[in-house]
Amino acid sequence: MTNRLLDEAARETVTGGAATPLPPVAEKRPSPSTWHGVTRVDDYAWLRADNWQQVMHEPSVLAPDIRAYLDAENAYSEAAMAPVEELRKALFKEMRGRIKEDDSSVPAPDGPYAYAIRYAEGGEHPLLVRTAREGGPETILLDADAMAKGKAYFRLGGSAHSPDHRFLAYAVDERGSEYFELRIRDIATGEDLADAIPATAGSMTWAADSRTLFYVHMDENHRPSSVYRHVIGSDPATDILVYAEADPGFFVGVGSTQSNAF
């Protein structure tokens, strides 16, 4: 199956002296289903993985025939766009030239520090930084460009510093699944604690004690459905459920009020 699909993607026809790749053709596998007395047949239902929840966590378990077809589609896309590769690079360079690459947010004061997000020229991911309000050098709390180096995929989710300014909680997705792992960094040492919480929505908020975190858990259907409480140093498997939304029509979020009273 894999070789056949890739061969189809590589086929070419010559029109007007230019080689044009032909797209792969997905196999038809009729799959009937009846709803409200009406039967419909979907020839391509097989391309929707029955184990999609598991695939979101571990892409390697995707069915080989589905992966083969997706690889063939990607091969066709690359072949079809190859003649305009230099134009694509030129357009990208021009668009990037119109963007202020070393951009930064307005520093947000909080206690003795001012926190900000900035980008390095040529970088693709943010740097989380802070500066003492009385003056002094900038401290880089998190360099997402460095963290992304060598990875096929990387995305930084939410982040939040603790009220005592000792810890930085942040979330990362390194698979493209949109399941974020929540981590906690000791700002003084720059090292992450052993606490690593999987399958979160990527957002979090601190309690006033600077030891407790509230975060949103993503369920098996990829829905942010519940809020948990984590205490630094404890096993994430023992985190306490604070709220669960049973209605699948709603998504859950968690945050602090501006006054930090709630």
PDB file of all heavy atoms in Angstrom, residues 145-159:
ATOM      1  N   ASP A 145      13.246  29.590  22.028  1.00  0.00           N
ATOM      2  CA  ASP A 145      14.030  29.259  20.831  1.00  0.00           C
ATOM      3  C   ASP A 145      15.044  28.168  21.149  1.00  0.00           C
ATOM      4  O   ASP A 145      15.222  27.223  20.370  1.00  0.00           O
ATOM      5  CB  ASP A 145      14.755  30.499  20.300  1.00  0.00           C
ATOM      6  CG  ASP A 145      13.902  31.306  19.335  1.00  0.00           C
ATOM      7  OD1 ASP A 145      13.133  30.694  18.568  1.00  0.00           O
ATOM      8  OD2 ASP A 145      14.002  32.541  19.350  1.00  0.00           O
ATOM      9  N   ALA A 146      15.716  28.295  22.281  1.00  0.00           N
ATOM     10  CA  ALA A 146      16.705  27.286  22.679  1.00  0.00           C
ATOM     11  C   ALA A 146      16.031  25.959  22.972  1.00  0.00           C
ATOM     12  O   ALA A 146      16.552  24.886  22.633  1.00  0.00           O
ATOM     13  CB  ALA A 146      17.478  27.767  23.903  1.00  0.00           C
ATOM     14  N   MET A 147      14.852  25.999  23.587  1.00  0.00           N
ATOM     15  CA  MET A 147      14.132  24.780  23.919  1.00  0.00           C
ATOM     16  C   MET A 147      13.643  24.065  22.659  1.00  0.00           C
ATOM     17  O   MET A 147      13.546  22.836  22.635  1.00  0.00           O
ATOM     18  CB  MET A 147      12.944  25.103  24.819  1.00  0.00           C
ATOM     19  CG  MET A 147      13.326  25.667  26.179  1.00  0.00           C
ATOM     20  SD  MET A 147      11.872  26.143  27.150  1.00  0.00           S
ATOM     21  CE  MET A 147      11.126  24.539  27.402  1.00  0.00           C
ATOM     22  N   ALA A 148      13.343  24.827  21.614  1.00  0.00           N
ATOM     23  CA  ALA A 148      12.798  24.241  20.386  1.00  0.00           C
ATOM     24  C   ALA A 148      13.888  23.671  19.481  1.00  0.00           C
ATOM     25  O   ALA A 148      13.581  22.897  18.563  1.00  0.00           O
ATOM     26  CB  ALA A 148      12.004  25.295  19.622  1.00  0.00           C
ATOM     27  N   LYS A 149      15.121  24.029  19.729  1.00  0.00           N
ATOM     28  CA  LYS A 149      16.206  23.626  18.837  1.00  0.00           C
ATOM     29  C   LYS A 149      16.307  22.106  18.735  1.00  0.00           C
ATOM     30  O   LYS A 149      16.336  21.393  19.729  1.00  0.00           O
ATOM     31  CB  LYS A 149      17.534  24.200  19.348  1.00  0.00           C
ATOM     32  CG  LYS A 149      18.684  24.057  18.368  1.00  0.00           C
ATOM     33  CD  LYS A 149      19.917  24.793  18.859  1.00  0.00           C
ATOM     34  CE  LYS A 149      21.047  24.699  17.840  1.00  0.00           C
ATOM     35  NZ  LYS A 149      22.265  25.426  18.302  1.00  0.00           N
ATOM     36  N   GLY A 150      16.346  21.610  17.499  1.00  0.00           N
ATOM     37  CA  GLY A 150      16.485  20.184  17.260  1.00  0.00           C
ATOM     38  C   GLY A 150      15.200  19.394  17.344  1.00  0.00           C
ATOM     39  O   GLY A 150      15.201  18.185  17.095  1.00  0.00           O
ATOM     40  N   LYS A 151      14.098  20.047  17.652  1.00  0.00           N
ATOM     41  CA  LYS A 151      12.812  19.354  17.768  1.00  0.00           C
ATOM     42  C   LYS A 151      12.003  19.524  16.491  1.00  0.00           C
ATOM     43  O   LYS A 151      12.001  20.588  15.872  1.00  0.00           O
ATOM     44  CB  LYS A 151      12.023  19.876  18.968  1.00  0.00           C
ATOM     45  CG  LYS A 151      12.668  19.571  20.315  1.00  0.00           C
ATOM     46  CD  LYS A 151      11.793  20.079  21.456  1.00  0.00           C
ATOM     47  CE  LYS A 151      12.321  19.624  22.814  1.00  0.00           C
ATOM     48  NZ  LYS A 151      13.625  20.241  23.119  1.00  0.00           N
ATOM     49  N   ALA A 152      11.305  18.465  16.099  1.00  0.00           N
ATOM     50  CA  ALA A 152      10.473  18.523  14.895  1.00  0.00           C
ATOM     51  C   ALA A 152       9.294  19.461  15.095  1.00  0.00           C
ATOM     52  O   ALA A 152       8.788  20.062  14.139  1.00  0.00           O
ATOM     53  CB  ALA A 152       9.980  17.125  14.529  1.00  0.00           C
ATOM     54  N   TYR A 153       8.838  19.598  16.335  1.00  0.00           N
ATOM     55  CA  TYR A 153       7.713  20.476  16.639  1.00  0.00           C
ATOM     56  C   TYR A 153       7.911  21.030  18.045  1.00  0.00           C
ATOM     57  O   TYR A 153       8.371  20.318  18.948  1.00  0.00           O
ATOM     58  CB  TYR A 153       6.377  19.728  16.567  1.00  0.00           C
ATOM     59  CG  TYR A 153       5.176  20.622  16.840  1.00  0.00           C
ATOM     60  CD1 TYR A 153       4.526  21.283  15.799  1.00  0.00           C
ATOM     61  CD2 TYR A 153       4.711  20.814  18.143  1.00  0.00           C
ATOM     62  CE1 TYR A 153       3.439  22.109  16.042  1.00  0.00           C
ATOM     63  CE2 TYR A 153       3.623  21.648  18.392  1.00  0.00           C
ATOM     64  CZ  TYR A 153       2.990  22.290  17.339  1.00  0.00           C
ATOM     65  OH  TYR A 153       1.914  23.121  17.583  1.00  0.00           O
ATOM     66  N   PHE A 154       7.555  22.295  18.226  1.00  0.00           N
ATOM     67  CA  PHE A 154       7.604  22.886  19.560  1.00  0.00           C
ATOM     68  C   PHE A 154       6.647  24.070  19.606  1.00  0.00           C
ATOM     69  O   PHE A 154       6.602  24.891  18.684  1.00  0.00           O
ATOM     70  CB  PHE A 154       9.012  23.369  19.903  1.00  0.00           C
ATOM     71  CG  PHE A 154       9.115  23.967  21.291  1.00  0.00           C
ATOM     72  CD1 PHE A 154       9.364  23.149  22.383  1.00  0.00           C
ATOM     73  CD2 PHE A 154       8.940  25.325  21.491  1.00  0.00           C
ATOM     74  CE1 PHE A 154       9.431  23.689  23.661  1.00  0.00           C
ATOM     75  CE2 PHE A 154       9.007  25.873  22.765  1.00  0.00           C
ATOM     76  CZ  PHE A 154       9.264  25.044  23.852  1.00  0.00           C
ATOM     77  N   ARG A 155       5.885  24.130  20.675  1.00  0.00           N
ATOM     78  CA  ARG A 155       5.001  25.264  20.884  1.00  0.00           C
ATOM     79  C   ARG A 155       4.938  25.570  22.376  1.00  0.00           C
ATOM     80  O   ARG A 155       4.720  24.681  23.203  1.00  0.00           O
ATOM     81  CB  ARG A 155       3.592  24.967  20.360  1.00  0.00           C
ATOM     82  CG  ARG A 155       2.604  26.118  20.570  1.00  0.00           C
ATOM     83  CD  ARG A 155       1.216  25.735  20.107  1.00  0.00           C
ATOM     84  NE  ARG A 155       0.234  26.747  20.432  1.00  0.00           N
ATOM     85  CZ  ARG A 155      -1.083  26.593  20.296  1.00  0.00           C
ATOM     86  NH1 ARG A 155      -1.555  25.451  19.815  1.00  0.00           N
ATOM     87  NH2 ARG A 155      -1.918  27.563  20.629  1.00  0.00           N
ATOM     88  N   LEU A 156       5.163  26.825  22.705  1.00  0.00           N
ATOM     89  CA  LEU A 156       5.059  27.267  24.093  1.00  0.00           C
ATOM     90  C   LEU A 156       3.630  27.697  24.367  1.00  0.00           C
ATOM     91  O   LEU A 156       3.048  28.482  23.612  1.00  0.00           O
ATOM     92  CB  LEU A 156       6.021  28.424  24.348  1.00  0.00           C
ATOM     93  CG  LEU A 156       6.025  28.998  25.771  1.00  0.00           C
ATOM     94  CD1 LEU A 156       6.568  27.965  26.753  1.00  0.00           C
ATOM     95  CD2 LEU A 156       6.855  30.273  25.835  1.00  0.00           C
ATOM     96  N   GLY A 157       3.047  27.149  25.431  1.00  0.00           N
ATOM     97  CA  GLY A 157       1.692  27.520  25.804  1.00  0.00           C
ATOM     98  C   GLY A 157       1.704  28.683  26.773  1.00  0.00           C
ATOM     99  O   GLY A 157       2.490  29.625  26.651  1.00  0.00           O
ATOM    100  N   GLY A 158       0.849  28.622  27.790  1.00  0.00           N
ATOM    101  CA  GLY A 158       0.773  29.695  28.769  1.00  0.00           C
ATOM    102  C   GLY A 158       1.925  29.654  29.760  1.00  0.00           C
ATOM    103  O   GLY A 158       2.664  28.669  29.858  1.00  0.00           O
ATOM    104  N   SER A 159       2.070  30.732  30.513  1.00  0.00           N
ATOM    105  CA  SER A 159       3.093  30.798  31.553  1.00  0.00           C
ATOM    106  C   SER A 159       2.608  31.734  32.655  1.00  0.00           C
ATOM    107  O   SER A 159       1.781  32.626  32.403  1.00  0.00           O
ATOM    108  CB  SER A 159       4.432  31.294  30.990  1.00  0.00           C
ATOM    109  OG  SER A 159       4.305  32.610  30.476  1.00  0.00           O
TER     110      SER A 159
END
